[in-house]
Amino acid sequence: MSRLQVVSGKGGTGKTTVAAALALALAGEGKRTLLVEVEGRQGIAQLFETEALPYEERKIAVAPGGGEVYALAIDPELALLEYLQMFYKLGGAGRALKKLGAIDFATTIAPGLRDVLLTGKACEAVRRKEKSGRFTYDYVVMDAPPTGRIARFLNVNDEVAGLAKIGPIHNQAQAVMRVLKSRETAVHLVTLLEEMPVQETADGIAELRGARLPVGRILVNMVRPEVLDAADLARVRATPRTALAKSLSAAGLGGARRGGHAERLVDPLLAQAEEYAERYALEQEQRAVLGELGLPLHELPLLAEGMDLAGLYELATELRKQGIA
């Protein structure tokens, strides 16, 4: 299992939820996981029902088996200040630059630098060790930007090529890429069984492979339960309306006489069955498309009660059952 797990996906697919559940799943059996947020949305804090995360690593959950989940919301400005202090010992001058707005200016005009800082902080956590020689974190899970820009975000070496050809920034980018393009990293894509998210997932995988970044798994989120299979749907279409009315009547849903309550139920039920059949066919088509991408494919259920902290633990359990963690 790769130690850096990057999770991306089209907006609305629940990638932050899946990243959080994955962090919980990986933290099982006494492991320690760091869950990293890079988009500044405080989505992790909301999921774990805690206050907004500061720019520091903070324990936010205990996983089944006693493992721990820590979280870090990376602030690019503070990361740049930390970086400048590390390499240039700016001290108070760095704080003055922040007050003048120079830090925000630098990370805005040079988005490649911003991405180096964000990915660099996560990679530093992957490599960090205790005095005993043990890794500080067994796993680092990154809630990454959406699929549309994930390859560019991770391919920081190309992004800073025109910005810095030598020096600490260049060296930092090289060190980050050594982690991101190694077996230590896996990039997972979250999708839904819908045409647009599936197409964006396919495009994202092609871009990641083109950049020689390690693609991990496809995680299909919010999968609705299968009520009728293909054989059931075929039987529905082949059964006469009168037979359906009689069956409804036999079930105690009104008389079978013409115009009776049971007969009035037939058309709405058939319409609902047809709507379900259309969705079933679409989902099967999208499963086939995903299956052709040549990656491990996993499905996570749509939770009937909605997503809360209990639901997050439920998804983590499902991930462990499927052998992802």
Side-chain angles (χ1 to χ4, degrees):
M1 178 67 70
S2 300
R3 296 187 57 249
L4 175 57
Q5 306 274 315
V6 180
V7 180
S8 180
K10 178 177 168 57
T13 59
K15 72 175 179 65
T16 299
T17 299
V18 173
L22 180 59
L24 272 173
L26 290 169
E29 307 304 325
K31 302 293 185 182
R32 181 184 292 176
T33 300
L34 176 65
L35 177 58
V36 176
E37 181 176 76
V38 299
E39 294 184 279
R41 295 185 296 105
Q42 289 291 339
I44 293 172
Q46 294 174 32
L47 282 169
F48 284 93
E49 301 174 4
T50 186
E51 60 188 21
L53 297 171
Y55 181 51
E56 64 181 42
E57 293 160 20
R58 174 176 292 182
K59 186 167 78 171
I60 58 170
V62 176
E68 298 174 327
V69 177
Y70 285 73
L72 172 66
I74 304 177
D75 182 315
E77 289 190 13
L78 294 177
L80 181 53
L81 279 175
E82 183 178 67
Y83 178 83
L84 292 173
Q85 175 61 24
M86 183 183 303
F87 287 102
Y88 298 104
K89 310 298 181 186
L90 289 185
R95 291 188 291 275
L97 284 173
K98 178 173 173 59
K99 289 181 180 179
L100 290 171
I103 303 298
D104 183 57
F105 178 74
T107 55
T108 300
I109 65 169
L113 173 59
R114 188 185 190 95
D115 292 348
V116 169
L117 294 168
L118 294 171
T119 54
K121 188 67 176 176
C123 290
E124 181 277 325
V126 171
R127 296 190 300 260
R128 193 190 313 157
K129 291 185 177 181
E130 305 289 323
K131 290 181 180 179
S132 63
R134 178 190 172 185
F135 284 113
T136 301
Y137 296 104
D138 297 289
Y139 300 101
V140 175
V141 178
M142 181 194 293
D143 177 23
T147 319
R149 83 175 197 94
I150 186 62
R152 182 177 178 183
F153 172 76
L154 294 176
N155 202 18
V156 293
N157 199 38
D158 288 350
E159 288 298 297
V160 300
L163 178 67
K165 298 186 183 296
I166 59 172
I169 293 176
H170 173 79
N171 295 337
Q172 173 80 349
Q174 294 282 353
V176 168
M177 291 313 301
R178 281 195 292 272
V179 174
L180 294 180
K181 289 193 173 184
S182 73
R183 293 181 179 179
E184 284 190 290
T185 299
V187 185
H188 309 301
L189 283 300
V190 181
T191 187
L192 305 177
L193 288 176
E194 298 173 6
E195 188 172 359
M196 287 185 63
V198 168
Q199 184 59 55
E200 191 162 314
T201 297
D203 293 342
I205 290 170
E207 290 181 10
L208 288 166
R209 285 172 169 166
R212 297 182 179 178
L213 289 160
V215 189
R217 303 164 186 261
I218 298 172
L219 303 170
V220 185
N221 196 25
M222 294 186 275
V223 177
R224 286 170 284 197
E226 185 177 279
V227 180
L228 303 173
D229 60 19
D232 293 328
L233 290 169
R235 280 194 293 270
V236 169
R237 290 192 177 102
T239 303
R241 293 181 79 263
T242 54
L244 286 173
K246 288 181 180 179
S247 296
L248 290 169
S249 179
L253 295 175
R257 62 182 177 78
R258 187 170 181 79
H261 182 58
E263 189 169 292
R264 290 198 300 271
L265 289 176
V266 172
D267 286 338
L269 285 173
L270 287 175
Q272 189 173 9
E274 189 58 35
E275 181 182 337
Y276 176 86
E278 291 176 5
R279 176 166 63 83
Y280 179 85
L282 173 63
E283 291 178 347
Q284 292 300 99
E285 288 173 8
Q286 300 312 309
R287 280 190 177 96
V289 172
L290 292 172
E292 292 173 358
L293 297 175
L295 293 172
L297 186 63
H298 304 271
E299 296 190 3
L300 297 173
L302 174 66
L303 300 180
E305 301 299 320
M307 181 49 60
D308 55 12
L309 192 54
L312 201 58
Y313 276 85
E314 187 177 336
L315 286 184
T317 300
E318 182 62 30
L319 286 168
R320 292 187 64 82
K321 284 180 181 177
Q322 295 190 31
I324 300 176

